[in-house]
């Protein structure tokens, strides 16, 4: 049971889990219908923020950091000489309940190194979720990692108790995955994703017929890609993401800038700092895919295989397509408004509502949260026009926008979008 | 100059609007509650809160805009800032006097200002939902103190009632000296005169705490520090997302 000695274990096992970026706890509405403890709200709640600026919403922890595998990018690989320990399923359950009751967390995000074999490990993860749901009548959020190679039956059971299952792809191409994680291949990762996917869709169908049919991983699945550990381009990465998003059950792809934890391994690039700027641009591009109606090849393609690190991908796209601008704020259709740099989903909603009342000018736009110093090059509204993309050449606009944003070369780039809160449009 | 005073309740404010129309006199200044200073050389119209009058104004708002808008007005009222009553009177007048529904007219400065404040209030309530920290007491109930910028506890209660249905709890606003108490059935408003709470960190006196309370606070603090990726430390973003004013009640931020 939990005692003073748990402090050390917690330190090791939370430390071991911290590189997994997924912290979302949203997507499920689980009511507290059995007068037990907890509910899951569709919009996740951040309970704290770590000093790296990340939202803490879940108890994100590994059951064990022992592992029989040797993935090059992982701190827990078997060849590393690090302190190792394990919690029992009961200890994790106890910790989760006590943290939850104190409103420290939204729920549990449990993963593990591979102990003995995948099934043995998966069984223990499932045991935690089952204990929470049955013995403790816990309705809070549970996210379980599906261990690559675990049997279909165990994954199916995991999905009955968990709100979300995830399998990390980590490396976007099979050759590079095999190079860095010799114990894994695409098959071992994609297979459980497929099983999860099928079961989710089946359960949805069943629930249309009988409302009492059991839930299966009701908030879908997610995955993670490590950025910058291999030479894969942003084009490769975003093509993979958008292919994954075509499947309705895949809710999020997380991007994690590679942190050189095993710098001794020559298969990995020598980095001084994690590629945070690139990660940030990928998140922005991912948003464009999910909420702004962009296609991957509009953002990156064979001519432009990597995102521009200095500018927002939406700006880069707009500068490549000057013939579509300027956009008339008072007339343009919503999808085109969404494509204007400096206008977000929220502003679009406000513009659509407000322009029914009045013809809008730039001071209205400013109050609605439009970033005019960016947007002004791409729009016209009900007043004298300022110099826009048609008067100035794209290259000049690019220069102006770069000067406005001194995030350039100093490396002290501040992340705004890391683990962003969901926008109002879904 | 028309000076109105009211009892700083939401019903009071709606009554004030009702009476303004009846008197055909609208406030230039509004004084609220006990703290208000009598202004020299001017007489003050004191509003007696009347639930019936308040309800008529409420229904008028619903009819001319929407139920959601009426609730939004209530939430903005909870901003509890000196100039909110005046903003609300202006906003309600706009809604009532216009021929069409003005709630989405974002080219109108009052509507914009109103919605900005609404967003701030909701954000504060959302933060409180996350940042409340319960301490387990010897008798098995859970206690949390807080001091939100706006008077948002009433907005947070339904969430806590649903989430912690099987544990008795108290959430107390130290700034406004009142709180809510859930006894496994109902939630009621409470005021304590002799609360044994350390005002520096909101912690109950240690004689009142459950035996393992300190251990779990320590575990949480340990977790908080272990989960941070040192290579990615980002103080600026950290402070934006978790402003310093919240720190004193968070065990993970204590020294
Ligand atoms: S299987 Fe998981 S825990 Fe084990 S080395 Fe690979 S990434 Fe690390």
């Amino acid at each position: 049971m939990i005692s003073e000695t748990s402090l050390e274990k917690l330190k090791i096992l939370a430390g071991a889990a911290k590189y997994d970026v997924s912290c979302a706890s949203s997507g499920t509405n689980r009511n507290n219908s059995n007068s037990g403890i907890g509910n899951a709200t569709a919009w996740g709640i951040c309970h704290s923020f770590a000093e790296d600026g990340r939202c803490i919403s879940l108890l994100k922890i590994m059951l064990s950091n022992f592992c029989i595998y040797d993935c090059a990018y992982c701190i827990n690989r078997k060849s590393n000489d690090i302190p190792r320990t394990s919690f029992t399923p009961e200890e994790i359950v106890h910790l989760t309940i006590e943290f939850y009751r104190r409103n420290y967390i939204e729920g549990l995000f449990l993963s593990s190194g591979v102990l003995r074999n995948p099934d043995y490990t998966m069984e223990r993860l499932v045991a935690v979720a089952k204990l929470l749901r049955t013995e403790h009548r816990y309705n809070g959020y549970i996210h379980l990692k599906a261990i690559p190679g675990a049997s279909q039956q165990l994954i199916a059971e995991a999905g009955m108790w968990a709100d979300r299952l995830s399998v990390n792809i980590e490396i976007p191409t099979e050759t590079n995955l095999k190079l860095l994680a010799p114990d894994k291949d695409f098959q071992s990762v994609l297979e459980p994703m497929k099983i999860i996917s099928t079961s989710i869709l089946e359960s949805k169908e069943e629930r249309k017929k009988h409302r009492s049919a059991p839930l299966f991983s009701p908030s879908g699945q997610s995955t993670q890609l490590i950025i910058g550990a291999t030479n894969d381009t942003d084009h490769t990465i975003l093509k993979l993401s958008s292919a994954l998003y075509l499947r309705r059950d895949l809710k999020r792809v997380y991007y994690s800038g590679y942190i050189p934890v095993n710098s001794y391994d020559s298969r990995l690039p020598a980095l001084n700092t994690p590629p945070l700027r690139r990660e940030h641009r990928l998140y922005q591009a991912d948003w464009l895919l999910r909420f702004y109606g962009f296609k991957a090849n509009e953002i990156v393609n064979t001519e432009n295989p990597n995102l521009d690190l200095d500018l927002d991908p939406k700006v880069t796209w707009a500068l490549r397509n000057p013939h579509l601008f300027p956009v008339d704020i008072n007339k343009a259709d919503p999808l085109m408004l969404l494509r204007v740099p400096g206008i977000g989903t929220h502003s679009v909603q406000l513009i659509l509502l407000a322009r029914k009342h009045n013809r809008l000018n730039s001071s209205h736009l400013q109050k609605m949260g439009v970033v005019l110093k960016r947007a002004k090059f791409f729009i016209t509204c009900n007043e004298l026009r300022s110099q826009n993309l048609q008067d100035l050449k794209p290259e000049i606009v690019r220069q102006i926008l770069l000067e406005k944003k001194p995030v350039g070369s100093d490396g002290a780039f501040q992340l705004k979008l890391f683990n962003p809160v969901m926008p109002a449009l879904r | 100059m028309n000076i109105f005073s009211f009892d700083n309740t939401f019903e009071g404010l709606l009554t004030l609007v009702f009476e303004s129309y009846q008197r055909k006199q609208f406030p230039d200044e509004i004084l609220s509650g006990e703290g208000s200073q009598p202004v020299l050389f001017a007489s003050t119209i004191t509003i007696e809160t009347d639930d019936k009058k308040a309800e008529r104004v409420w229904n008028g708002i619903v009819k001319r805009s929407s139920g959601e808008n009426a609730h939004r007005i209530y939430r903005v009222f909870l901003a509890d800032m000196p100039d909110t009553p005046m903003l609300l009177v202006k906003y309600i007048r706009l809604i009532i006097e216009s021929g069409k529904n003005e709630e989405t007219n974002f080219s109108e400065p009052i509507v914009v200002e109103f919605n900005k404040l609404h967003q701030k209030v909701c954000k504060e309530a959302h933060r409180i939902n996350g940042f409340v920290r319960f301490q387990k007491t010897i008798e098995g109930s859970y206690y949390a103190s807080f001091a939100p910028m706006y008077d948002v506890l009433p907005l947070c209660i339904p969430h806590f009632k649903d989430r912690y249905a099987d544990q008795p709890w108290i959430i107390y606003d130290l700034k406004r000296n009142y709180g809510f108490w859930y006894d496994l059935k109902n939630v009621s408003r409470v005021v304590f005169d002799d609360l044994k709470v350390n005002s520096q960190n909101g912690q109950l006196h240690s004689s009142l705490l459950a035996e393992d309370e300190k251990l779990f606070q320590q575990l949480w603090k340990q977790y908080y520090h272990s989960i941070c990726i040192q290579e990615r430390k980002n103080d600026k973003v950290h402070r934006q997302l978790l402003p310093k004013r919240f720190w004193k009640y968070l065990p993970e931020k204590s020294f």
Side-chain angles (χ1 to χ4, degrees):
Chain A
M1 275 294 112
I2 298 297
S3 64
E4 297 284 336
T5 55
S6 310
L7 275 164
E8 191 54 30
K9 280 196 194 179
L10 184 67
K11 183 174 172 187
I12 294 171
L13 293 170
K18 70 185 170 193
Y19 297 107
D20 217 314
V21 290
S22 164
C23 84
S25 66
S26 58
T28 320
N29 258 317
R30 194 184 284 273
N31 298 329
N32 187 350
S33 46
N34 53 3
S35 329
I37 173 181
N39 59 3
T41 49
W43 310 117
I45 297 175
C46 290
H47 286 263
S48 194
F49 289 90
E51 284 169 355
D52 52 21
R54 295 189 305 164
C55 157
I56 300 180
S57 138
L58 305 174
L59 169 59
K60 178 156 56 177
I61 198 160
M62 293 184 95
L63 186 86
S64 172
N65 68 339
F66 284 100
C67 190
I68 56 171
Y69 290 165
D70 204 33
C71 309
Y73 45 80
C74 177
I75 184 89
N76 303 312
R77 59 189 290 190
K78 75 169 175 221
S79 48
N80 277 356
D81 180 20
I82 51 166
R84 296 193 192 253
T85 185
S86 306
F87 273 126
T88 64
E90 288 76 15
E91 283 170 328
I92 297 280
V93 167
H94 189 187
L95 207 53
T96 306
I97 292 286
E98 295 292 338
F99 276 13
Y100 196 88
R101 286 200 180 284
R102 288 169 173 78
N103 203 42
Y104 295 167
I105 53 170
E106 279 304 279
L108 173 67
F109 177 3
L110 187 62
S111 61
S112 181
V114 184
L115 300 158
R116 287 190 218 175
N117 58 57
D119 273 357
Y120 177 83
T121 315
M122 196 68 216
E123 265 167 31
R124 300 174 79 80
L125 300 187
V126 170
V128 171
K130 185 177 176 181
L131 277 171
L132 280 169
R133 291 279 191 244
T134 53
E135 276 192 25
H136 294 271
R137 291 188 301 166
Y138 165 87
N139 299 305
Y141 189 85
I142 301 179
H143 179 157
L144 293 185
K145 212 26 97 51
I147 303 293
S151 74
Q152 184 165 355
Q153 194 196 337
L154 279 168
I155 290 177
E157 199 184 343
M160 281 169 52
W161 309 117
D163 289 286
R164 179 175 281 183
L165 297 175
S166 65
V167 188
N168 285 358
I169 300 176
E170 306 289 27
I171 303 297
T173 51
E174 170 131 47
T175 1
N176 281 329
L177 178 68
K178 277 196 175 144
L179 174 71
L180 296 183
D183 307 295
K184 295 179 182 166
D185 55 24
F186 255 36
Q187 170 72 14
S188 71
V189 183
L190 296 179
E191 189 56 32
M193 287 181 82
K194 233 185 274 162
I195 300 173
I196 296 168
S197 190
T198 324
S199 312
I200 289 175
L201 297 178
E202 273 171 16
S203 146
K204 285 219 170 101
E205 280 308 308
E206 277 304 301
R207 285 174 65 84
K208 275 185 205 148
K209 291 180 218 146
H210 333 275
R211 287 200 52 207
S212 57
L215 285 165
F216 187 96
S217 189
S219 62
Q221 55 174 327
S222 61
T223 190
Q224 167 172 298
L225 296 170
I226 295 176
I227 304 312
T230 57
N231 56 8
D232 300 306
T233 62
D234 293 338
H235 185 211
T236 310
I237 293 167
L238 289 170
K239 254 195 331 200
L240 177 60
S241 301
S242 67
L244 292 168
Y245 284 135
L246 285 180
R247 309 200 325 209
R248 274 169 301 150
D249 58 294
L250 199 289
K251 293 298 189 242
R252 287 296 299 271
V253 177
Y254 291 93
Y255 307 92
S256 174
Y258 169 64
I259 293 169
V261 283
N262 303 321
S263 46
Y264 62 85
D265 194 317
S266 61
R267 287 171 294 173
L268 293 162
L271 297 178
N272 294 326
T273 46
L276 295 186
R277 182 103 59 94
R278 182 172 174 206
E279 176 193 291
H280 174 62
R281 295 294 176 217
L282 278 165
Y283 272 114
Q284 289 181 318
D286 186 89
W287 271 43
L288 295 182
L289 294 180
R290 290 186 300 139
F291 301 110
Y292 288 78
F294 279 83
K295 299 221 166 50
N297 62 11
E298 292 181 284
I299 306 169
V300 275
N301 43 46
T302 20
E303 291 96 73
N304 309 286
N306 285 306
L307 295 168
D308 185 337
L309 292 184
D310 296 323
L311 280 175
D312 183 316
K314 205 200 226 182
V315 174
T316 323
W317 171 82
L319 294 177
R320 282 208 299 262
N321 292 280
H323 59 285
L324 298 173
F325 295 97
V327 164
D328 184 342
I329 290 297
N330 286 296
K331 294 211 188 84
D333 74 85
L335 286 176
M336 198 58 217
L337 285 177
L338 275 174
R339 290 185 167 232
V340 177
I343 300 186
T345 48
H346 186 61
S347 311
V348 169
Q349 283 180 324
L350 298 187
I351 289 170
L352 292 177
L353 291 168
R355 73 185 186 184
K356 290 185 195 150
H357 293 267
N358 262 325
R359 285 183 62 76
L360 305 178
N361 59 35
S362 58
S363 81
H364 294 140
L365 293 180
Q366 193 144 32
K367 292 206 188 83
M368 293 176 208
V370 171
V371 186
L372 271 185
K373 56 181 184 192
R374 220 172 313 155
K376 69 176 179 199
F377 299 106
F378 305 95
I379 58 172
T380 54
C381 51
N382 188 28
E383 63 191 349
L384 280 179
R385 53 200 289 269
S386 58
Q387 287 198 308
N388 65 41
L389 200 53
Q390 296 303 334
D391 314 312
L392 303 163
K393 294 235 153 35
E395 191 39 44
I396 299 195
V397 174
R398 183 185 147 83
Q399 281 312 323
I400 299 174
L401 288 173
L402 278 178
E403 278 161 27
K404 289 244 151 84
K405 296 209 305 181
V407 287
S409 47
D410 59 50
F413 177 67
Q414 303 289 341
L415 288 161
K416 276 203 287 307
L417 252 168
F418 198 75
N419 281 322
V421 182
M422 286 276 178
L425 283 181
R426 287 203 85 191
Chain B
M1 185 156 121
N2 294 326
I3 302 171
F4 285 50
S5 88
F6 78 119
D7 60 0
N8 209 18
T9 63
F10 184 58
E11 290 75 14
L13 184 80
L14 296 181
T15 312
L16 186 151
V17 172
F18 186 93
E19 299 236 344
S20 305
Y21 277 106
Q22 212 164 41
R23 293 162 190 262
K24 299 200 176 60
Q25 276 184 328
F26 293 92
D28 300 300
E29 202 181 322
I30 299 175
L31 307 173
S32 57
E34 314 91 62
S36 49
Q37 298 285 328
V39 178
L40 291 178
F41 312 118
S43 60
T44 307
I45 300 170
T46 308
I47 302 294
E48 293 289 331
T49 299
D50 178 329
D51 287 354
K52 286 228 176 61
K53 291 175 183 167
E55 203 181 321
R56 282 182 58 184
V57 175
W58 174 270
N59 291 338
I61 295 168
V62 173
K63 214 167 101 199
R64 275 161 209 273
S65 51
S66 64
E68 172 50 28
N69 192 40
H71 284 282
R72 231 178 274 141
I73 290 173
Y74 170 61
R75 290 192 285 265
V76 170
F77 176 77
L78 295 178
D80 193 26
M81 308 289 274
D83 41 5
T84 16
M86 203 59 201
L87 170 69
L88 286 176
V89 170
K90 286 187 195 151
Y91 182 74
I92 296 172
R93 285 190 66 187
L94 179 76
I95 295 290
I96 291 184
E97 289 167 25
S98 167
K100 53 187 181 8
N101 184 1
E102 293 287 333
E103 71 182 288
T104 55
N105 185 359
F106 292 98
S107 55
E108 172 60 62
I110 293 283
V111 177
V112 174
E113 200 189 330
F114 171 85
N115 278 284
K116 278 218 175 107
L117 189 52
H118 179 254
Q119 235 174 21
K120 285 190 193 161
V121 172
C122 292
K123 185 171 178 187
E124 183 77 353
H126 187 75
R127 278 172 155 168
I128 297 302
N129 283 345
F131 298 159
V132 152
R133 297 285 179 266
F134 286 116
Q135 303 156 40
K136 191 176 181 183
T137 68
I138 22 173
E139 52 186 31
S141 62
Y142 290 78
Y143 170 85
S145 4
F146 235 90
M149 172 140 65
Y150 310 121
D151 185 14
V152 292
L153 277 193
L155 302 180
C156 301
I157 294 311
H159 166 74
F160 286 105
K161 191 178 171 204
D162 188 35
R163 176 159 294 187
Y164 301 108
D166 73 339
Q167 70 190 47
W169 48 255
I170 292 167
I171 304 175
Y172 207 75
D173 183 338
L174 291 178
K175 189 164 154 191
R176 296 173 184 80
N177 192 33
Y178 83 98
F180 288 97
W181 171 45
Y182 170 70
D183 62 2
L184 297 180
K185 274 203 201 91
N186 302 306
V187 179
S188 28
R189 215 183 139 100
V190 284
V191 175
F192 295 120
D193 305 323
D194 55 346
L195 200 60
K196 285 210 177 76
V197 163
N198 176 345
S199 60
Q200 289 313 303
N201 57 14
Q203 290 282 317
L204 283 176
H205 192 266
S206 55
S207 64
L208 296 174
L209 292 176
E211 205 185 323
D212 58 6
E213 175 54 30
K214 282 288 163 209
L215 173 64
F216 281 102
Q217 289 195 16
Q218 254 178 313
L219 283 160
W220 171 240
K221 197 168 157 181
Q222 174 68 264
Y223 176 71
Y224 178 80
H225 289 291
S226 309
I227 201 72
C228 170
I229 300 179
Q230 293 300 327
E231 292 90 328
R232 306 182 64 129
K233 263 209 169 170
N234 191 334
D235 208 42
K236 192 172 150 205
V237 171
H238 174 61
R239 278 160 195 261
Q240 260 164 25
L241 295 169
L242 187 60
K244 252 194 139 158
R245 67 186 169 94
F246 291 106
W247 291 13
K248 70 190 234 192
Y249 302 115
L250 301 173
E252 67 268 32
K253 284 292 180 191
S254 70
F255 296 100

